[in-house]
Amino acid sequence: MKRLQERIRQDGVVLSSQVLKVDSFLNHQVDPILTMEIGQAFARKFQADRVTKVLTIEASGIHFALATAYALGVPFVYAKKKQAITLPEDLYSVPVYSFTRQETYRISVSKRYLTARDRVLIVDDFLATGAALLGLVELVKQAGAHLIGVGAVIEKSFQEGRGKLEQAGVFVYSLARIESMSPGEICFAEETENMLAEETN
Ligand code: G4P
């Protein structure tokens, strides 16, 4: 998605070769126009897949799931990180290890909002190590629902997330794939592919 790439270049801050700060427009202060365009881009990609529910995880996936669900005309559900005051048997729940915080937390979704009849599209802001997304995939499995795929707004292709998801048989679609980055420089996979295509033409 060209506009997203341009915005990442313009306003993203590369803190290290591993961490990209996008909190001025994506995950703290949020640009609503860009967010709605992101939702439309996911909806266009998955419009033929008869999605019945968009699933994400709090907090930074919520507005992208809302925009995508709105464009598809279906509800969205977000997995909670804090345990709700609900009976454990009413929840699908799975442990997720956070590499950034070096701790394990549980994510959960009510059994009422994810069922075997659902066709689920998972959406999240970052695809990095894949830990949180694999947790969401597991929740879909527990529900016996059909998983259509994962939509990531930004994929850090140099981390292992995509490989792990694909190994688990999950289709992955990302709107901006970062191949490498360093302070002052971001290299998108799509641009490398376009350059190679131009060279061979
Ligand atoms: P993932 O690949 O499935 O997202 O899992 P991972 O465990 O690698 O990511 C852990 C958290 O770190 C996620 O947020 C993810 O969005 C965030 N993250 C990963 N890489 C970056 C990065 O380069 N920049 C920024 N800004 N965030 C990154 P989370 O813990 O779920 O927190 P929340 O913000 O959604 O509440």
Side-chain angles (χ1 to χ4, degrees):
M1 186 178 164
K2 203 160 184 307
R3 241 178 67 74
L4 175 63
Q5 287 187 3
E6 285 167 0
R7 191 66 183 276
I8 293 170
R9 257 220 180 101
Q10 185 188 306
D11 292 330
V13 180
V14 180
L15 290 186
S16 68
S17 61
Q18 302 292 309
V19 181
L20 173 68
K21 213 165 142 65
V22 284
D23 66 352
S24 65
F25 63 104
L26 276 193
N27 59 14
H28 190 24
Q29 174 170 264
V30 176
D31 178 334
I33 296 171
L34 182 63
T35 299
M36 295 316 278
E37 286 175 3
I38 285 168
Q40 284 156 6
F42 283 136
R44 268 196 305 277
K45 178 72 184 173
F46 294 100
Q47 64 187 358
D49 290 300
R50 292 181 288 119
V51 175
T52 65
K53 214 153 275 182
V54 176
L55 175 67
T56 192
I57 180 167
E58 62 179 353
S60 309
I62 291 179
H63 44 294
F64 300 114
L66 168 64
T68 308
Y70 183 75
L72 287 168
V74 299
F76 80 95
V77 182
Y78 60 94
K80 297 196 175 189
K81 289 178 178 168
K82 289 249 164 67
Q83 291 307 297
I85 317 162
T86 316
L87 296 172
E89 56 267 32
D90 293 338
L91 299 171
Y92 298 116
S93 153
V94 63
V96 170
Y97 180 73
S98 163
F99 294 91
T100 32
R101 282 181 243 135
Q102 306 230 320
E103 61 178 27
T104 300
Y105 57 96
R106 283 197 92 78
I107 61 170
S108 61
V109 162
S110 167
K111 288 184 179 174
R112 271 186 293 166
Y113 305 129
L114 209 53
T115 74
R117 289 184 302 280
D118 278 315
R119 295 173 59 80
V120 180
L121 170 63
I122 294 174
V123 165
D124 205 2
D125 60 341
F126 271 95
L127 169 54
T129 68
L133 286 164
L134 282 162
L136 292 177
V137 170
E138 181 56 32
L139 290 180
V140 174
K141 269 195 200 146
Q142 286 183 12
H146 177 77
L147 178 62
I148 287 159
V150 164
V153 179
I154 301 177
E155 170 184 329
K156 291 188 289 178
S157 305
F158 51 87
Q159 290 188 276
E160 62 272 38
R162 175 181 280 269
K164 281 188 182 166
L165 286 164
E166 287 181 343
Q167 235 172 29
V170 177
F171 174 73
V172 179
Y173 176 67
S174 307
L175 297 179
R177 286 184 292 150
I178 298 176
E179 218 165 51
S180 62
M181 58 187 196
S182 56
E185 200 187 2
I186 299 176
C187 178
F188 290 103
E190 293 86 342
E191 290 173 339
T192 313
E193 281 161 19
N194 291 344
M195 262 168 49
L196 289 173
E198 272 167 30
E199 278 168 22
T200 49
N201 282 337

